[in-house]
Amino acid sequence: MDFFGPVLDGFGTVLDPTNLLYCLLGVVIGMLIGVLPGLGPAATIAILLPLTYGVEPVTAIIMLAGIFYGAQYGGTITSVLLRLPGEASSVVTVFDGYVMAKQGRAGTALGIAAIGSFIGGTIAIVGLTFLAPLVASFALDFGPPEYTALALLGILLVATISGGSKIKAIIAAAVGLFLATVGRDGFTGAERFTFGNLSLADGIDFVPIAMGLFGVGEILYNLEERHRAVSAPLKVANVWPRRQDLKQASGAIGRGSVLGFFLGILPGGGATISSLASYALEKKTAKDPTRFGKGAIEGVAGPETANNAAATSSFIPLLTLGIPANATMAIIFGALLIQGVTPGPQLISNDPELFWGVVNSMYIGNILLLIMSIPLIGVFVRILRIRAAILAPITALITLLGAYTIRNSMFDVMLVVMFGAVGYLMKKFGFEPGPLVLAFVLGSLLESNLRRSLLVLEGDPSGFLSRPISATLLVVFVFVAVWPMIKSAIDQRKNRLVAVQAVKEKENA
């Protein structure tokens, strides 16, 4: 009863009319944002942060969570109908989804994506319900050394698992760590990198960074990229899949649910990596891999299931450890702090209403998504016809107004504009803003806990290895850091052996 009582109370929280309305609002906004290519849930949540100040914390987080997992399905619509991924996690859906649409099976592709998304999301929520309390109880043994090792591992995983150039990801993470040091030292009171500016004495606020990098930066970049007109969407018919389609996709949905759930938990993981991994897994396990890219239904079912499962499971490290697993979770982490809620092992016991309200809202949100996903396709396709040149200025204006209303400060507006320019240049030159934001969030956690640890351990760094949990995390850290070099050496050795073998075969011939 100790476990099920709070869970049932959580359903009472989410079924409150206000919370239910915000849950509906979140998933609808999420689907809409998923349909609009380029904006994404991280940018949207960053833009909407000021709107959450006037509502209860549980209500705000229910809406923001709905935006995150709702966006995963919205991106599917444009991937299938327009060959234009609305969200990064829907990129691989283009490979087979658009081909299915050209074959007259757009409805089947969208229907199986909706079913897979619902199943993957629901399985992940069940996993979240039972696994999160276990992780939280385990995390109660965490002290400053353990949090130091965990923050280090999180920053490294963000830099090494992030898509694109690893060097660029590491540079972005280093910039994020530097920005986290700006302001007054919490231990000595000394000012660092403020250059005499009183507005920087308390450090750089998370919201202007998020709104600038993900809001203004994405808007500027997408305006430049989307010169071409959007092609006419393909027609949708026969929405619900046949029994044969369901049977064919069932294995992919099952595998995608499990794979997405576990990859979503990892720092640096998330929906995008999960969808890519799922597509690779389906292609590798298929009896006929040549079907992929030619309209294989598993190529839609697996990735779409995995990205929704990952979107849900990424709440586990956020709510139980206070560690955001990806950029969107970092922004939701910031939203929680703004609301006066500190994510971590104590959250379940100290604020069960919020914890179980947010978790159980995902059950309701997934049902709402399943019900609304197909009927709203026509509406979303019409929205796509609105030119980016009209939408972008309106979005930018809302972003800047939101930044000003936080503290009625023009300095915050200037920061948003500055980080918007930085975000645009980062995207332009192939730097992802995600590692920077995650490192900024984890940087404060790392510094404060490292210094506390050294005080507890009387300045002896070897004390980290005398504690089982911190020692294990540091071993994993070293392995993750060294593994790319080991893998590179193994690959080079294999290539040399292949080259030598080829020369021998040539000589023998």
Side-chain angles (χ1 to χ4, degrees):
M1 190 65 188
D2 289 341
F3 173 76
F4 290 105
V7 174
L8 293 174
D9 290 341
F11 278 110
T13 300
V14 74
L15 291 174
D16 175 85
T18 303
N19 292 335
L20 207 54
L21 176 62
Y22 273 81
C23 182
L24 174 64
L25 188 63
V27 295
V28 171
I29 293 174
M31 288 181 69
L32 174 60
I33 293 309
V35 166
L36 294 173
L39 197 54
T44 306
I45 293 171
I47 292 168
L48 294 178
L49 277 180
L51 301 180
T52 64
Y53 294 166
V55 298
E56 291 294 318
V58 63
T59 306
I61 305 306
I62 283 173
M63 183 185 73
L64 298 182
I67 292 171
F68 183 38
Y69 57 81
Q72 308 309 318
Y73 184 74
T76 310
I77 297 170
T78 48
S79 294
V80 171
L81 300 182
L82 296 170
R83 200 180 185 183
L84 189 66
E87 170 61 20
S89 59
S90 298
V91 169
V92 293
T93 307
V94 169
F95 303 155
D96 289 280
Y98 186 71
V99 176
M100 288 178 69
K102 289 179 71 176
Q103 295 169 351
R105 301 166 63 206
T108 302
L110 292 171
I112 204 69
I115 293 168
S117 297
F118 174 75
I119 293 173
T122 303
I123 289 174
I125 299 164
V126 173
L128 172 59
T129 300
F130 289 98
L131 188 60
L134 294 176
V135 175
S137 62
F138 169 74
L140 287 172
D141 294 330
F142 275 42
E146 286 74 22
Y147 271 109
T148 302
L150 189 63
L152 270 174
L153 180 60
I155 293 167
L156 180 65
L157 284 170
V158 167
T160 55
I161 296 177
S162 174
S165 168
K166 301 294 182 287
I167 298 296
K168 290 180 177 179
I170 291 169
I171 292 171
V175 172
L177 287 174
F178 166 74
L179 291 174
T181 64
V182 174
R184 192 175 289 109
D185 188 317
F187 287 79
T188 65
E191 292 190 359
R192 305 178 298 187
F193 308 112
T194 61
F195 306 105
N197 190 323
L198 291 176
S199 298
L200 290 174
D202 292 327
I204 300 175
D205 195 55
F206 172 80
V207 177
I209 293 179
M211 294 179 81
L213 290 177
F214 289 101
V216 177
E218 292 284 346
I219 291 165
L220 293 173
Y221 182 76
N222 290 325
L223 271 177
E224 184 181 51
E225 290 295 307
R226 295 188 63 200
H227 290 309
R228 67 185 189 281
V230 178
S231 57
L234 299 169
K235 292 183 179 179
V236 179
N238 303 322
V239 170
W240 295 110
R242 299 167 299 172
R243 184 177 295 179
Q244 180 185 347
D245 294 323
L246 289 169
K247 185 178 179 182
Q248 198 171 355
S250 59
I253 290 173
R255 288 185 289 271
S257 298
V258 176
L259 183 67
F261 178 80
F262 285 106
L263 287 180
I265 296 173
L266 294 176
T272 303
I273 289 175
S274 299
S275 62
L276 291 167
S278 175
Y279 191 83
L281 177 64
E282 293 309 313
K283 194 171 182 180
K284 198 166 188 178
T285 56
K287 292 180 180 178
D288 182 14
T290 59
R291 291 172 49 248
F292 285 78
K294 299 176 183 177
I297 197 168
E298 302 97 309
V300 174
E304 287 301 317
T305 303
N307 65 29
N308 276 268
T312 301
S313 66
S314 58
F315 279 89
I316 293 177
L318 174 71
L319 297 176
T320 60
L321 299 174
I323 299 291
N326 51 60
T328 308
M329 287 295 106
I331 295 173
I332 294 178
F333 178 88
L336 284 163
L337 293 180
I338 289 166
Q339 292 281 354
V341 177
T342 304
Q346 302 286 351
L347 182 62
I348 297 179
S349 56
N350 291 350
D351 202 343
E353 180 186 357
L354 184 141
F355 181 87
W356 291 113
V358 171
V359 171
N360 292 343
S361 73
M362 297 179 191
Y363 288 106
I364 308 295
N366 264 280
I367 294 170
L368 292 173
L369 279 171
L370 183 65
I371 294 169
M372 296 187 304
S373 56
I374 303 302
L376 287 178
I377 287 172
V379 177
F380 292 139
V381 168
R382 287 189 184 90
I383 291 169
L384 278 169
R385 295 197 175 103
I386 301 174
R387 290 186 340 193
I390 296 172
L391 283 175
I394 296 171
T395 310
L397 180 62
I398 292 170
T399 304
L400 294 176
L401 284 173
Y404 180 77
T405 57
I406 295 170
R407 294 187 296 190
N408 295 327
S409 167
M410 281 303 298
F411 183 75
D412 285 346
V413 176
M414 290 168 58
L415 281 179
V416 170
V417 173
M418 184 187 76
F419 281 109
V422 171
Y424 164 75
L425 292 173
M426 287 179 73
K427 294 283 285 186
K428 184 80 173 168
F429 293 102
F431 288 83
E432 287 296 323
L436 189 155
V437 173
L438 281 159
F440 176 79
V441 170
L442 293 174
S444 301
L445 182 72
L446 173 63
E447 183 189 12
S448 60
N449 282 287
L450 174 61
R451 295 172 74 172
R452 285 193 188 100
S453 300
L454 292 175
L455 287 173
V456 170
L457 300 172
E458 297 179 348
D460 182 12
S462 64
F464 284 95
L465 300 176
S466 65
R467 299 167 69 104
I469 297 175
S470 61
T472 303
L473 290 170
L474 287 173
V475 168
V476 175
F477 173 86
V478 172
F479 175 77
V480 173
V482 173
W483 173 246
M485 292 182 281
I486 296 174
K487 188 175 183 298
S488 177
I490 292 171
D491 290 342
Q492 287 178 7
R493 180 174 172 79
K494 282 183 180 177
N495 292 336
R496 282 198 298 269
L497 290 173
V498 169
V500 170
Q501 187 66 28
V503 169
K504 287 182 179 178
E505 289 177 358
K506 193 173 180 181
E507 289 174 352
N508 292 335

